[in-house]
Amino acid sequence: MDKFVIRGGKPLKGEITVSGAKNASLALMPAAILANGTVKIYNTPRLNDVFTMSKLLNSLGATTELNDHELIINAQTINNQVAPYELVKKMRASFYVLGPLVSKFGYAKVSLPGGCAWGPRPINLHIEGLKRLGAQIDLEDGYIVAKAKKLHGARINFDTPSVGATGNVLMAAVLAKGGTIINNAAMEPEISNLAEFLVKMGAKISGINTSILEVEGVDYLDFAAIETIPDRIEAGTLLVAAAMTKGEIKINNLEVKHIYSIIAKLEESGLKMTYNGNHIKINAADFSPKSINVATGPFPGYPTDMQAQWIAYMAVADSSATITDNIYFDRFAHVPELMRLGADITVKDNSAVVKGVKKLKGAKIMSTDLRASASLVLGGLAAEGTTEVLRIYHLDRGYENLEMKLKALGADIERVKTEEF
Ligand code: EPZ
C-alpha cells in the first residue's frame, strides 16, 4: 500500500507533457477485438486500468504487449467471449468488450460491472442500444449474455449522452448489416479517438465529433494503428495545481480544444493563461482565485471528472462557490477529506457550496476514488505543513507517475510504502 507525503506551499514551476488519455485507451483497447490482425496503439499511458484491460483481453485469448508507451494487440487468437466478474468488478470499463464481442463473434457473456465509489452507474443505455441492433440480451447469475446471429443496423436514440454506451454501440454497429444512426451520442474526445481508430480499420462512420453518428456496416475490419489523444483531465488537474500553488507552468502536447470549458472557468477565476492549439502557459504568481460556480455536463461542457479538482480549488478562493454535478449526483466522497484540511464545504443533493478559507492546513487524508484522490493531492500541495494522502492505488488507476511529474515541477512530494490502510 502506498501513500503520498506532501509538504505544501511550493509553487509549481516548469514545463510538463501530459500522458495519453486513460479514457481513450479504455475504449481503443476493446476495439482491437474487431480488427483482423495486430493493432498498434501509440502514446498508451502506463496505468493500472490499462494493465487491467490488458489482463481482460488476455483472458479472452488475445495477446497484448506494452513496450514503453506503444501497445500492440492481436485479438485474432480470441477463443473465449466471457469477461469474468473478478476483472469487471475491478474496472467497469471492462463492460466495453460487450459490443465488439457480440458484433464479431455473435456471443458475449460479460459480468455486470457492480458497484463504484459513487453511483448508481446504470447500463440500461448499453443494453437498449444493443437490443435495437438485434442482440438478444439475458441476465444470468450477474452476467449479461448477448447473442446475435448477425447484428443489423438501427436508429438508436440515447435519452442522455453516455460515453460508455456510445462506445459499446458504435463498436457493435460497425460490423452490423446495414446503416445505424446513433442520436444524442457522447461527443467526448475519447469517443472521437475511438471512431477515428475504427475508420482507420475500414469502418464507415460519419458525424464524428458531433452528437449524431451515422454508421454504414461493413463485413470486415483490417488492422490499423492509432495515437491515443492526450489526457485532458490530467491537463486540467495540473492547471488547477499550478493555480492553487501560485505557480507558473507550461503544458505541452495537449489538445487545447479539449479543455476549453476548464480554461474558461479558470479565466473566470481571474487566471491569466496563454495558449495555442497544443500548449498552454499559466502564470499564477501572487494570484488568489475568485469564487466561481461550476455545473458539470456532457462534453463540451465542464467535465464531471474535474468536479473534485474544482472543489479543492474553490476551497482557497475569495468567497463562496457552488459546484453542481449533473452527471453523478453523489460524487462527493472527497469533501469530508478536504474538510480535514480545513476546507469549508456543505453538500446538499448534487451540489457543494464551498466557502473559501485563507489557508488549508496539512493533515492525514484518505483517497476514496480516482478523481477524489487527485483533489486531495491538490489540497496537500496548497496546504501549509505536511499532508499524507492514503490509498494512492486509486490515483494510480488514472494518473501516470503523477508524483514524478509534480516533483519535476518543484513540488515536495514523496511516495511512501505504508501498512496503513
Ligand atoms: C465515462 O464513464 C468515464 N469512464 C468516466 O470517467 C466519466 O466520469 C464518465 O464517462 C462521464 O464523462 C471511462 O471513459 C472509462 P457515462 P461512463 O455512461 O461511460 C448515465 C474517470 O474518473 N448513464 O457517460 O460509465 C450515467 O448514470 C471516470 O476517469 C445511464 O443512465 O459514463 C451518468 O449520469 C469516472 N445509463 C451519465 O449517463 C447508462 O446505460 C454519463 O455516464 C449509462 C450511463
Side-chain angles (χ1 to χ4, degrees):
M1 196 66 65
D2 291 356
K3 67 181 176 182
F4 279 166
V5 178
I6 304 169
R7 285 168 201 80
K10 310 275 184 310
L12 298 186
K13 288 192 184 317
E15 290 201 23
I16 192 88
T17 296
V18 292
S19 299
K22 166 181 85 85
N23 291 345
S25 298
L26 296 179
L28 297 171
M29 293 171 74
I33 293 169
L34 297 165
N36 284 290
T38 298
V39 302
K40 281 190 180 173
I41 306 176
Y42 301 114
N43 195 30
T44 296
R46 300 183 68 87
L47 298 170
N48 288 349
D49 274 8
V50 167
F51 304 146
T52 302
M53 185 61 84
S54 295
K55 275 201 203 98
L56 173 58
L57 292 174
N58 296 156
S59 76
L60 300 176
T63 56
T64 57
E65 195 186 333
L66 182 56
N67 307 314
D68 189 21
H69 293 87
E70 181 183 302
L71 178 60
I72 298 170
I73 304 176
N74 178 3
Q76 289 207 295
T77 48
I78 286 183
N79 54 11
N80 161 37
Q81 288 83 28
V82 179
Y85 174 62
E86 294 66 35
L87 283 171
V88 178
K89 74 177 163 63
K90 274 182 79 177
M91 183 185 64
R92 49 174 293 109
S94 313
F95 203 64
Y96 259 138
V97 300
L98 181 66
L101 284 175
V102 71
S103 178
K104 174 104 182 198
F105 298 99
Y107 176 82
K109 182 175 178 181
V110 179
S111 168
L112 278 169
C116 184
W118 69 89
R121 296 188 69 181
I123 51 157
N124 59 308
L125 297 176
H126 299 242
I127 301 305
E128 294 317 312
L130 291 175
K131 277 183 174 168
R132 293 277 300 163
L133 292 171
Q136 179 199 318
I137 306 275
D138 297 299
L139 179 60
E140 285 172 22
D141 314 324
Y143 281 74
I144 291 288
V145 179
K147 292 177 191 147
K149 273 208 178 21
K150 175 81 178 160
L151 293 178
H152 56 70
R155 272 191 317 285
I156 291 161
N157 179 64
F158 287 133
D159 293 345
T160 174
S162 156
V163 174
T166 302
N168 241 332
V169 165
L170 181 62
M171 287 190 277
V174 292
L175 286 181
K177 188 168 177 43
T180 293
I181 292 176
I182 305 175
N183 189 57
N184 205 12
M187 292 190 276
E188 272 69 3
E190 294 76 26
I191 290 297
S192 303
N193 202 191
L194 167 65
E196 188 195 338
F197 189 28
L198 293 169
V199 166
K200 282 181 162 226
M201 291 181 196
K204 291 190 172 51
I205 304 170
S206 58
I208 298 176
N209 296 317
T210 78
S211 58
I212 304 175
L213 292 173
E214 300 197 40
V215 182
E216 192 49 48
V218 295
D219 293 331
Y220 178 91
L221 289 174
D222 215 335
F223 56 89
I226 188 77
E227 176 91 8
T228 311
I229 56 172
D231 195 315
R232 59 194 170 101
I233 304 301
E234 182 184 6
T237 305
L238 290 169
L239 288 173
V240 172
M244 290 180 70
T245 58
K246 305 183 189 307
E248 191 178 340
I249 69 168
K250 181 174 180 240
I251 303 180
N252 295 312
N253 172 36
L254 81 157
E255 284 287 348
V256 170
K257 67 175 188 277
H258 292 169
I259 59 168
Y260 279 154
S261 60
I262 301 167
I263 291 173
K265 285 299 173 186
L266 287 168
E267 285 174 334
E268 271 183 61
S269 76
L271 261 179
K272 299 272 171 291
M273 289 169 281
T274 54
Y275 44 88
N276 70 5
N278 61 5
H279 80 252
I280 185 166
K281 268 183 86 169
I282 182 172
N283 184 340
D286 314 321
F287 168 74
S288 287
K290 287 204 289 289
S291 294
I292 298 294
N293 298 341
V294 154
T296 69
F299 191 86
Y302 186 92
T304 175
D305 292 349
M306 279 293 298
Q307 176 258 93
Q309 296 90 320
W310 196 263
I311 287 182
Y313 182 41
M314 291 295 100
V316 291
D318 68 348
S319 63
S320 171
T322 300
I323 293 94
T324 301
D325 201 325
N326 295 312
I327 306 289
Y328 296 114
F329 297 157
D330 63 351
R331 191 179 187 175
F332 296 103
H334 38 286
V335 167
E337 299 301 317
L338 289 169
M339 290 171 73
R340 288 178 51 71
L341 299 178
D344 178 352
I345 310 170
T346 311
V347 174
K348 187 170 178 336
D349 301 330
N350 61 324
S351 289
V353 176
V354 187
K355 288 194 175 60
V357 295
K358 276 262 158 299
K359 262 279 166 209
L360 297 174
K361 294 215 174 4
K364 190 174 281 192
I365 48 184
M366 186 178 77
S367 305
T368 50
D369 59 83
L370 168 57
R371 306 301 174 186
S373 47
S375 77
L376 302 188
V377 172
L378 295 176
L381 291 171
E384 228 161 42
T386 302
T387 295
E388 295 192 4
V389 183
L390 301 176
R391 301 189 182 182
I392 281 303
Y393 61 85
H394 288 292
L395 196 95
D396 292 337
R397 292 189 55 176
Y399 288 90
E400 185 180 17
N401 288 334
L402 185 64
E403 78 274 18
M404 310 302 280
K405 289 171 178 162
L406 292 171
K407 214 183 273 201
L409 292 170
D412 183 342
I413 179 170
E414 287 303 323
R415 178 185 287 261
V416 174
K417 290 258 166 275
T418 175
E419 295 307 309
E420 290 172 276
F421 184 65

